[in-house]
Amino acid sequence: MTEHTLTVAGVAVDPRHWIGGERVASAGTFTDVSPIDGRALGEIARGTPAEAAAAVAAAKAAFPAWAATPRAERARILHAIADGVEKRLEELAIVETTDNGALLRSHRRGVMPRVAHNFRFFADWSLTLDHEDFETRGHTNHVSWDPAGPCVLITPWNAPLMLATWKIAPALAAGNTVVLKPAEWSPLTASLLADIAAEAGLPAGVLNVVQGYGSEIGDALTSHPDVRRISFTGSVPTARRIAASAAPHLTPLSLELGGKSPLLVFADADLDLAVDLAVEQYDNAGQVCLAATRILVEETVAEEFTRRFVAKAGALVQGDPREEATDIGPTIHPRQLDRIDGFVRRAVEAGARVVIGGHRVDERSYAPTLLTEVAQDSEIVQEEVFGPVLTLQTFADEDEAVRLADDTRFGLAATLVTGDRERADRVTGRLTAGTVWVNCFFVRDLKAPFGGSRHSGVGREGGTWSFDFYCDLKNTVTAPKGWNDHG
């Protein structure tokens, strides 16, 4: 414990930046507040362009040695980081729940184990990177994945550590160094990860963490000429600013920008399954980029679907996310709660009917909401709310279902529920989405490509796709002659 250390849910957390293997303070701070009860958790170092530049400089200085480290040794250190995550899993879970309000049971059973898995998977996958050599008129082609350089990773608040390590792990496994900028509404587990990485033997400067507001340090990071990759998860407007900032240096970008995903329910579907999947969209208080917030139901079963949905959703328990029985916790921040409420109020004013919810539960939470009688071109159908708000529309046939599903500017994911395999094949082939789930939801494999189409993003990560992004691919062509062999 030091004079700088915060105690959060009984866990010591250092609120300073982590730059070049050392804790670094800033002249200013910002207050981190728990969404559970509005209590101030402590003052966090508020980064400036000076700290951002220092972090990039540290990453640049550490890059040559880390890039030259054999893949197997890099993998060994990443596995040691995963060991550290598993050792401190309970601490990470309670700190993140306190910091962002997501369910403690989910952090314990799913999210934090996935954090460790991120490191193990990409460590092991890096050892498999290989492309069979091939011949061109007697010349040999050899493909290699070369480390790109310092990477800036900018991550959101809804699943802070899991989404950060989804980027950090492949970047490090590829031989790059990293500057992580966590969301200012949920910065704490990023600081704990820096400690874990250092204890695992990650060299100084390979991972750096700079906290603060994107409006104050974002440009200093994304416009820096020494940054070789930028990966961002967040909103479309912020992505546009990042792209403009990165453009002068042509810095490659990977952007995951959320969506307005549909859930299509056909009359031949298992309605109980369809209802279960629809109610699941309230997970994490609706603060999930992949959530299928637009429910599209074939009109012949819409009434029965709605009846079952209302009954199922009515059994959800809303409350303290630290309690085992709680299904829906608080919204991350009062500003986000106001935003959600504004969307619903404007929708109702425009003619939408509230089936359930439609109101604040208290100053921290919003009731699970379902709206019907919404126009396809309305704000509530077209724009991402990022809260526990779903809309329900009906369709007459397959063509109309696809038309409604694809009629937004997004294309991150889609979910389809049907008992007809041929229909599933037809419809999934017509949908615009980076991921389509059929009779299931949120089944994710790190080997699979992940990303969105249209305004849902640029690029894909996962498996080899991650290394294609975080590396410079090189093809070496060697002639069969010209060697001075003295064997």
Side-chain angles (χ1 to χ4, degrees):
M1 299 284 286
T2 72
E3 60 178 311
H4 300 284
T5 305
L6 306 177
T7 301
V8 178
V11 180
V13 183
D14 197 310
R16 295 172 294 175
H17 313 292
W18 179 253
I19 300 174
E22 297 180 350
R23 288 294 174 179
V24 176
S26 290
T29 62
F30 64 93
T31 305
D32 186 30
V33 175
S34 174
I36 298 174
D37 53 15
R39 180 172 54 89
L41 300 176
E43 295 299 309
I44 310 299
R46 182 171 178 167
T48 69
E51 284 88 44
V56 174
K60 181 181 180 181
F63 172 68
W66 183 246
T69 301
R71 285 187 192 176
E73 175 61 11
R74 295 199 300 255
R76 184 193 67 78
I77 294 175
L78 264 61
H79 273 286
I81 295 173
D83 292 341
V85 169
E86 290 171 347
K87 181 179 179 181
R88 301 187 66 180
L89 189 146
E90 181 65 22
E91 293 181 0
L92 291 166
I94 189 61
V95 169
E96 189 140 297
T97 289
T98 304
D99 203 19
N100 87 327
L103 299 184
L104 179 57
R105 71 175 193 230
S106 295
H107 281 139
R108 284 172 169 159
R109 299 171 191 170
V111 177
M112 294 308 161
R114 165 66 185 274
V115 168
H117 180 57
N118 283 344
F119 283 106
R120 298 198 192 282
F121 173 86
F122 286 108
D124 292 341
W125 197 265
S126 70
L127 302 179
T128 70
L129 289 176
D130 186 42
H131 191 291
E132 184 178 352
D133 290 353
F134 55 98
E135 298 293 319
T136 304
R137 298 189 301 276
H139 295 63
T140 301
N141 293 263
H142 176 74
V143 177
S144 58
W145 285 259
D146 294 350
C151 302
V152 166
L153 311 178
I154 303 173
T155 52
W157 44 258
N158 58 322
L161 194 57
M162 189 271 285
L163 292 178
T165 55
W166 153 256
K167 301 175 188 293
I168 292 168
L172 296 184
N176 299 319
T177 52
V178 164
V179 178
L180 172 68
K181 193 284 182 190
E184 59 267 25
W185 285 351
S186 56
L188 298 181
T189 49
S191 180
L192 292 177
L193 179 65
D195 294 334
I196 291 170
E199 292 165 4
L202 191 69
V206 174
L207 172 64
N208 306 275
V209 180
V210 181
Q211 300 149 163
Y213 294 102
S215 59
E216 297 176 353
I217 61 173
D219 186 67
L221 292 171
T222 57
S223 67
H224 201 292
D226 292 331
V227 170
R228 295 291 180 260
R229 295 290 188 274
I230 299 169
S231 182
F232 168 73
T233 298
S235 70
V236 172
T238 301
R240 289 195 179 107
R241 292 194 292 272
I242 290 172
S245 179
H249 302 293
L250 298 179
T251 309
L253 301 169
S254 178
L255 306 172
E256 194 269 278
L257 308 178
K260 195 70 178 174
S261 300
L263 190 161
L264 290 75
V265 180
F266 286 90
D268 58 18
D270 177 337
L271 279 192
D272 286 333
L273 171 64
V275 167
D276 287 345
L277 296 176
V279 172
E280 191 177 344
Q281 308 311 310
Y282 291 130
D283 181 51
N284 201 18
Q287 300 168 132
V288 178
C289 60
L290 291 164
T293 56
R294 295 183 298 129
I295 304 174
L296 307 175
V297 185
E298 193 162 354
E299 56 191 20
T300 57
V301 295
E303 184 176 347
E304 178 62 15
F305 173 90
T306 304
R307 183 186 68 78
R308 297 189 197 186
F309 178 92
V310 170
K312 182 85 174 181
L316 294 173
V317 177
Q318 193 161 14
D320 190 323
R322 296 166 295 192
E323 298 295 331
E324 183 72 17
T326 299
D327 297 308
I328 300 178
T331 299
I332 182 71
H333 193 277
R335 283 215 313 263
Q336 184 65 15
L337 187 62
D338 289 343
R339 184 175 185 274
I340 295 165
D341 190 51
F343 268 107
V344 174
R345 286 189 292 101
R346 291 190 297 274
V348 171
E349 290 168 2
R353 182 172 70 87
V354 177
V355 178
I356 60 170
H359 59 85
R360 302 171 191 253
V361 174
D362 51 37
E363 68 273 18
R364 290 179 288 276
S365 302
Y366 205 83
T369 296
L370 178 66
L371 303 175
T372 60
E373 300 177 22
V374 292
Q376 180 63 24
D377 63 354
S378 63
E379 178 192 56
I380 196 66
V381 170
Q382 294 293 324
E383 299 298 327
E384 186 176 41
V385 178
F386 222 62
V389 179
L390 310 180
T391 60
L392 190 150
Q393 298 166 271
T394 62
F395 59 84
D397 55 31
E398 199 171 288
D399 286 340
E400 186 179 18
V402 172
R403 179 180 64 78
L404 293 173
D406 275 354
D407 186 22
T408 74
R409 61 194 172 107
F410 297 103
L412 184 57
T415 302
L416 170 66
V417 192
T418 178
D420 186 332
R421 185 179 295 274
E422 292 183 357
R423 166 176 281 145
D425 291 341
R426 284 195 308 270
V427 173
T428 56
R430 297 173 65 187
L431 293 173
T432 301
T435 300
V436 180
W437 286 288
V438 179
N439 295 334
C440 61
F441 177 67
F442 215 57
V443 177
R444 289 281 307 279
D445 193 311
L446 293 182
K447 294 190 294 290
F450 178 74
S453 304
R454 300 188 295 205
H455 283 205
S456 284
V458 175
R460 296 291 185 273
E461 295 185 42
T464 301
W465 290 274
S466 285
F467 291 94
D468 287 348
F469 174 69
Y470 288 110
C471 292
D472 288 325
L473 268 72
K474 178 189 294 177
N475 185 42
T476 301
V477 184
T478 304
K481 297 183 293 185
W483 305 108
N484 294 316
D485 294 326
H486 303 286

